[in-house]
Amino acid sequence: ALALSANGDAAIKVFRESLALDGTKTRVRLHLALTLANMGRLDECRIETLAVLKAEPNDEKALGLLQALGASR
């Protein structure tokens, strides 16, 4: 729900705080990436998406997001 919220900056802050406590939360990182994409922060989105794929190479949502960004691994 936070990834779709109108207050993207607040959502990003919450996601980053959660990841600071536990950087292995790939779902949180993916939601961060989606929020960054929705805000047009595509370079940051790509970095976070690649981090998800490093942990979970076959994550379909992350692969789709990376493809939508026109990026490759």
Side-chain angles (χ1 to χ4, degrees):
L2 274 176
L4 301 175
S5 77
N7 191 344
D9 289 325
I12 288 169
K13 182 180 179 201
V14 170
F15 293 141
R16 291 197 193 276
E17 287 171 355
S18 178
L19 290 168
L21 295 173
D22 183 356
T24 66
K25 295 180 178 179
T26 55
R27 293 297 93 197
V28 172
R29 193 172 300 280
L30 183 59
H31 286 292
L32 171 60
L34 290 167
T35 302
L36 290 165
N38 288 337
M39 295 182 67
R41 295 166 62 173
L42 302 182
D43 290 338
E44 292 172 89
C45 172
R46 182 178 183 277
I47 291 167
E48 298 301 340
T49 303
L50 290 172
V52 170
L53 290 170
K54 184 176 180 182
E56 295 185 29
N58 297 316
D59 185 293
E60 290 184 24
K61 289 183 180 180
L63 288 168
L65 180 55
L66 193 63
Q67 183 177 11
L69 292 169
S72 62
R73 292 185 189 186

